[in-house]
Amino acid sequence: MIIGTAGHVDHGKTALVKALTGIDADRLAEEKRRGITIDLGYAYTDTPNGTLGFVDVPGHERFVHTMLAGASGIDAALFVVAVNDGVMPQTREHAHILRLLGIDRGIVALTKADLAPARVAEVSTQMHALLAKTGLPAMPMLPVSSVTGEGIETLRAALLALGPRPRDGEGHPRLAVDRAFTLAGAGLVVTGTLVAGRVRVDDRLMLSPPGLELRVRGLHAQNRQAGEAVAGQRVALNIVGPRLSKDAVTRGDWVLHPDVHAPTVRLDARLRLLADEARALRADAPVHLHLGAAHVMARVAPLDAERLGPGDEALVRLTLVHPVGALARDRLVLRDATATRTIGGGVVVDPFPPRRGRRTVERLAQLAALDAPDAATALRQVLALPPGWTDAASYVRAHNMPPARHAEVMRDAPAVVVAELLMAPGTLEALRRDVVERLAAHHASAPDQPGLQPQRLRLAMPGRPSQTALRAIIEALLRRGLIEQDGPWLRLPTHRAVLSPRDERIWQQVEELIAADRFRPPRTRDLAQAAALPEAAMRAMLKRLQRMGRLIEVAPDQFFLSETVAEMAELAAALANDTASGTVTAAAFRDRLANGRKVAIQILEFFDRAGMTVRIGDERRVRTDRLGLFGVVRKEGNGSHGDHRRS
Ligand SMILES: Nc1nc2c(ncn2[C@@H]2O[C@H](COP(=O)(O)OP(=O)(O)OP(=O)(O)O)[C@@H](O)[C@H]2O)c(=O)[nH]1
Ligand SMILES: [Mg+2]
């Protein structure tokens, strides 16, 4: 367990930690000279229940940011107030900070009891009132004196009885770094609270936000050498990495698993403004943001309210000046632009929010749904809203879900993975039904068309699933035989494109005309005249016949019968086969088809585009492996032509 001190400057925090542990946490020469704590101090004491760790924080108003870095990782507060002084400004501010950080267990030490024993009852009453007003739970109040030793043993027992707060032992490891130093013989050491997961010697982790890879060479947990540290312990890691040095590490960095390395400059959070704030929070007001051990300037904008008045709670967008490492449910505290007052705080709801559309009705509903205490509940709630899915990678990362936890959350939500999305199982089924229903409706309204292309389908579908998600849905339907695919077209297995009786009559006429001179078919205009149709209508009809697989538009308004294209492909292959070079020339092809140079070249260029012929100067090589494109099947014993001669 880790205990953090809190309380006004000079009220006896460091003296009390020394009385409890024998350790003077004020290490710096300047601290000794000035008699105040400037930086975080650390002390440990052994108890029958293991090692108790202390983080001793400064009380001076100028060092509240340091107090915040220390307090973010603690289990319980040793909340100090000197009886000769009573409740003072930082007594109040630290009370707010404890409340905002969610540290709801602690002991109030009424220090310097030797100096003013008569005031114990009065200061105790003040503190009860302060806790109640702040929204902190009632805490035991014990008079103590670090000078006479009064109450110290009672205090120690009371602290031990508090017990640690629940921690996320199952997540990927995240260590909030509050100190870095080099140790002779060992090298770089970083210390901090392990807020999630486990760390073992030899683990490969990352310094985040810098994104530097590192290996754990050795570790201390609660001040003892260990092979493994677990969430809730204060940990010192001896780390090595190619680009790692003391200067690369800043207080507030994280040492974490690469899967949760995702520095962010935007956070959506639920924020409460303190009731004793004098003014409402302006939109885009600059603030100091404290998260974990980190501290960064940010702007805050209310999302589901126009303004945030004193005591109000709202969803807000925080836009940071520098990236920080943050995940869902991380606590945050805000101080004013001049860093003189704590103004509010809250909890991260979405560490990776979209840049645009932050205030749309849909987005606000999603945020409210995501604002749940556990990952499975948040997921169930958000998947019940439009569009019915969320990005899997960011959700898994935001909620620190290693594979085992991932599986558990998917089961509990419940949810399924569809390509890169998470969806409720019901949504997936509804989307599958939607695809089938849309195809059926399309076939009914356009019986002469082969089906729908996936892109058309996607644009028509509710919420527009991503390309990859739709592909995953389509593939599942194809595997089950519920739909079929012809080239780019999706269709129901029962569907075959058919023509209306009138169109069927036109088709017969067209087919006859084209077949009459199959290597040089009439152009669209001539066909339109012959059938007494407007040219545009004939063109649409011919395109439709192409989609049905009966015609192929080799060049604009130059439609050939499909089987003729296959026949010409076969002829080209045969011609190539009969030459020494294994290639076919436009002249030879024209002579064989007797259709004139222009049309012959149009056909060959069509074959080029289809990848069936490869042009080399004035000649063309035929790729026999592509003959199947037009339905030509090479017959057994037909000799060899094309490609392999040259290979
Ligand atoms: N008489 C008496 N003096 C005390 C007691 N506790 C602390 N002091 C004195 O009060 C002064 C401040 O004590 P610290 O422990 O440094 O106070 P602090 O709360 O750590 O101060 P900051 O860290 O600067 O906020 C020192 O001179 C201590 O000797 C006590 O129980 N009785
Ligand atoms: Mg101190």
Side-chain angles (χ1 to χ4, degrees):
M1 181 165 61
I2 307 168
I3 311 272
T5 59
H8 197 69
V9 64
D10 217 32
H11 275 201
K13 297 179 290 296
T14 305
L16 192 53
V17 168
K18 186 169 184 197
L20 286 161
T21 65
I23 291 161
D24 182 2
D26 282 348
R27 298 162 283 121
L28 306 176
E30 192 187 351
E31 290 178 322
K32 300 237 192 281
R33 197 174 68 243
R34 292 169 66 182
I36 61 166
T37 302
I38 295 170
D39 203 356
L40 299 175
Y42 309 96
Y44 296 89
T45 184
D46 291 330
T47 77
N49 305 338
T51 306
L52 202 56
F54 287 87
V55 176
D56 182 36
V57 307
H60 195 285
E61 60 177 340
R62 296 225 356 247
F63 304 132
V64 176
H65 61 280
T66 306
M67 181 275 176
L68 273 157
S72 71
I74 65 176
D75 292 296
L78 173 54
F79 198 180
V80 164
V81 58
V83 291
N84 58 337
D85 226 6
V87 169
M88 296 297 281
Q90 269 62 53
T91 322
R92 290 190 199 95
E93 187 165 15
H94 287 192
H96 283 310
I97 288 170
L98 294 175
R99 162 85 174 94
L100 294 171
L101 291 176
I103 294 152
D104 55 1
R105 60 191 78 199
I107 308 285
V108 172
L110 305 159
T111 53
K112 309 197 186 182
D114 57 297
L115 291 183
R119 282 180 45 87
V120 165
E122 185 192 337
V123 174
S124 173
T125 307
Q126 283 181 3
M127 283 300 280
H128 273 297
L130 175 64
L131 297 184
K133 180 168 170 282
T134 315
L136 282 166
M139 295 177 183
M141 310 241 167
L142 302 176
V144 296
S145 169
S146 303
V147 171
T148 67
E150 174 199 345
I152 299 296
E153 286 319 307
T154 317
L155 174 61
R156 185 196 309 279
L159 289 172
L160 276 172
L162 291 174
R165 63 165 151 156
R167 301 276 189 171
D168 170 19
E170 307 304 311
H172 286 302
R174 294 174 81 209
L175 176 89
V177 176
D178 53 28
R179 197 153 64 118
F181 53 90
T182 21
L183 210 61
L188 182 58
V189 175
V190 294
T191 72
T193 306
L194 188 60
V195 305
R198 295 162 181 273
V199 176
R200 294 178 193 84
V201 172
D202 275 337
D203 275 357
R204 299 202 171 260
L205 303 174
M206 193 169 256
L207 183 73
S208 182
L212 301 180
E213 291 175 3
L214 59 89
R215 182 175 66 82
V216 176
R217 191 154 65 181
L219 70 82
H220 279 65
Q222 300 287 85
N223 212 33
R224 280 170 198 278
Q225 189 162 358
E228 182 184 66
V230 298
Q233 292 183 316
R234 265 202 72 77
V235 179
L237 299 181
N238 176 204
I239 54 176
V240 284
R243 291 186 293 140
L244 217 52
S245 69
K246 180 172 176 285
D247 295 338
V249 188
T250 316
R251 170 172 287 169
D253 286 349
W254 297 89
V255 169
L256 42 65
H257 190 281
D259 284 2
V260 281
H261 163 65
T264 179
V265 290
R266 276 188 300 281
L267 300 171
D268 284 352
R270 181 163 43 77
L271 179 74
R272 195 167 58 87
L273 199 62
L274 295 182
D276 30 353
E277 267 302 286
R279 266 165 289 146
L281 195 66
R282 281 184 298 110
D284 288 321
V287 292
H288 288 263
L289 164 67
H290 297 263
L291 190 150
H295 169 205
V296 63
M297 289 296 294
R299 290 188 180 269
V300 52
L303 295 176
D304 60 348
E306 283 314 312
R307 62 198 276 284
L308 200 56
D312 288 351
E313 204 170 48
L315 293 166
V316 299
R317 163 66 53 91
L318 286 154
T319 309
L320 321 190
V321 171
H322 301 294
V324 298
L327 297 184
R329 310 316 293 169
D330 281 350
R331 293 277 181 163
L332 54 89
V333 173
L334 300 186
R335 301 193 81 226
D336 73 317
T338 55
T340 50
R341 295 182 337 269
T342 295
I343 59 176
V347 57
V348 175
V349 177
D350 186 353
F352 314 120
R355 185 193 290 270
R356 298 171 156 280
R358 64 188 187 178
R359 292 189 74 171
T360 62
V361 174
E362 184 171 293
R363 171 67 189 164
L364 291 178
Q366 286 168 0
L367 267 185
L370 285 172
D371 185 14
D374 67 280
T377 307
L379 187 58
R380 175 169 55 251
Q381 292 182 166
V382 80
L383 295 186
L385 296 172
W389 50 79
T390 192
D391 180 71
S394 13
Y395 196 86
V396 164
R397 179 173 286 148
H399 293 269
N400 192 356
M401 290 156 48
R405 158 83 66 82
H406 188 182
E408 208 174 285
V409 169
M410 299 301 283
R411 195 193 58 219
D412 292 352
V416 289
V417 183
V418 181
E420 83 289 16
L421 302 178
L422 302 179
M423 330 184 152
T427 307
L428 176 60
E429 268 324 305
L431 285 172
R432 288 177 176 157
R433 268 199 311 278
D434 191 75
V435 168
V436 171
E437 278 164 20
R438 268 171 214 282
L439 287 179
H442 177 75
H443 295 332
S445 69
D448 60 331
Q449 290 187 21
L452 268 178
Q453 302 206 12
Q455 184 62 8
R456 284 268 311 277
L457 199 58
R458 194 176 81 84
L459 296 179
M461 283 172 78
R464 275 197 203 172
S466 68
Q467 310 259 19
T468 50
L470 179 62
R471 197 65 239 168
I473 292 163
I474 287 171
E475 253 142 40
L477 292 170
L478 287 168
R479 266 198 309 278
R480 296 189 202 169
L482 294 171
I483 63 173
E484 286 180 13
Q485 180 154 15
D486 295 329
W489 288 285
L490 299 171
R491 60 170 174 82
L492 297 183
T494 47
H495 176 74
R496 289 284 181 279
V498 291
L499 290 176
S500 67
R502 175 177 164 274
D503 285 351
E504 189 62 44
R505 275 196 305 279
I506 299 173
W507 158 240
Q508 271 163 23
Q509 201 182 347
V510 163
E511 188 183 24
E512 226 166 86
L513 287 164
I514 295 180
D517 193 358
R518 67 187 194 285
F519 297 135
R520 186 177 14 199
R523 302 181 59 94
T524 306
R525 191 188 313 134
D526 308 324
L527 291 171
Q529 254 163 28
L533 275 182
E535 189 178 336
M538 177 54 77
R539 185 173 295 116
M541 169 88 188
L542 295 172
K543 298 242 184 218
R544 200 150 71 231
L545 290 164
Q546 168 163 262
R547 283 200 297 275
M548 292 173 74
R550 300 188 190 183
L551 295 178
I552 293 177
E553 190 173 17
V554 165
D557 282 331
Q558 193 80 67
F559 290 84
F560 285 68
L561 296 177
S562 300
E563 58 264 30
T564 307
V565 175
E567 184 187 353
M568 295 187 301
E570 188 75 58
L571 284 171
L575 283 172
N577 191 42
D578 291 342
T579 64
S581 57
T583 55
V584 57
T585 61
F589 192 58
R590 176 203 58 203
D591 291 347
R592 180 68 187 78
L593 301 185
N595 60 352
R597 181 173 161 74
K598 184 162 171 255
V599 178
I601 286 181
Q602 279 178 338
I603 296 165
L604 287 172
E605 284 173 351
F606 168 78
F607 285 151
D608 291 344
R609 286 195 301 278
M612 204 207 70
T613 49
V614 179
R615 191 169 169 185
I616 310 159
D618 279 344
E619 319 215 326
R620 282 177 172 81
R621 194 159 56 79
V622 179
R623 297 194 46 187
T624 50
D625 57 325
R626 296 286 175 94
L627 283 174
L629 278 176
F630 309 107
V632 178
V633 181
R634 266 182 66 202
K635 281 159 238 122
E636 205 69 37
N638 197 18
S640 50
H641 37 89
D643 253 7
H644 74 279
R645 265 199 201 175
R646 337 210 93 231
S647 56

